[in-house]
Structures are given as structure tokens and as C-alpha cells.
Amino acid sequence: MAWTASWYFELAVVGGQKLSARGEERSEVFVAFNGEIAKASVKSVDLLPDPATGKVRLLVLKPSTTSDKVTFSFADPADSTTKVFDLKTPVVLIGASAVELLPASPAKLWLKNAGSEAVVVEILIGRDPAP
């Protein structure tokens, strides 16, 4: 089943320029995750059932609270060579250009909560199942 994610954003500098854009991203499959990451823990989430089939076209990560203690990565954060990103605010990657920032066909996402309270994270993934 095909889905369409419509998006719109507007950025404005106080007393200055405005930038806005809108568009759509068609994807064949959406996978959603809405779960709690316990305090002082790491959780891995499967992004694609089979990374060899399909490419990520849309990735949205939305934490329930803003914290510098929550991070995400596309490989095990216990590995010292893994690039780890802060999840202080929502992360939205839409379309081929944006998702090229991701590793090729990421299979898993690791969420790490180094804080003292649980955090809920919502994840939305759109993919094109054609390799």
C-alpha cells in the first residue's frame, strides 16, 4: 500500500528573512515505533525488516522531552567508532537528499538514554521497497 507524507515548514528570522517549503514523499511502507527508553539504558529498534530490499525515504525521530542525555546512532553505541547524535529536538529527514546523510540501508537504530528519567521516542520510517 502506498502512503504519502505531506510536509511543510517555515523558518523566519525575527525582523528578517523567511524561508518556507512544502512537498510530498511517497513511500510504499511506513513503520512506526512509539516506545519508552528506560533511564540509563540502550534500546535497539529494527528500521527495515530486510535492509537489502528498499531504501529509507523518510525518517522522523521525536523525543517526548528535550534532554542532552538522549542520543541515537545507526550502530551499537558501545563501539567506540560509532557516530552518535544528540536527540535534543525532533529529527526529520525527508527525501533522497536528506536520507543520504544516513548509512546505506540502515537496519537498526540505537537509542541511548543516559538520563535519570525514562523518555518516550516516536519513530516514523518511510521506505521504497524497490532496491
Side-chain angles (χ1 to χ4, degrees):
M1 177 187 297
W3 292 81
T4 301
S6 297
W7 53 271
Y8 172 79
F9 73 86
E10 182 173 283
L11 302 171
V13 177
V14 176
Q17 282 185 296
K18 249 188 208 184
L19 172 68
S20 62
R22 73 177 57 226
E24 293 182 345
E25 181 63 38
R26 290 188 59 84
S27 294
E28 293 297 319
V29 177
F30 279 100
V31 178
F33 169 80
N34 186 357
E36 184 176 274
I37 313 305
K39 65 181 180 177
S41 71
V42 176
K43 179 169 185 70
S44 67
V45 176
D46 290 329
L47 293 182
L48 297 176
D50 181 2
T53 60
K55 295 185 186 257
V56 174
R57 309 304 288 166
L58 168 77
L59 176 65
V60 179
L61 306 171
K62 182 182 167 214
S64 60
T65 61
T66 58
S67 167
D68 60 355
K69 304 291 184 188
V70 180
T71 60
F72 70 98
S73 60
F74 296 98
D76 189 341
D79 180 346
S80 63
T81 64
T82 297
K83 175 68 176 158
V84 176
F85 304 93
D86 289 332
L87 188 55
K88 294 178 187 174
T89 60
V91 172
V92 180
L93 300 174
I94 302 171
S97 296
V99 297
E100 285 178 5
L101 299 170
L102 302 173
S105 298
K108 285 187 182 280
L109 178 82
W110 277 262
L111 297 160
K112 181 176 181 180
N113 180 3
S116 59
E117 295 184 23
V119 174
V120 173
V121 177
E122 294 176 73
I123 301 174
L124 179 65
I125 301 127
R127 73 178 180 130
D128 177 356

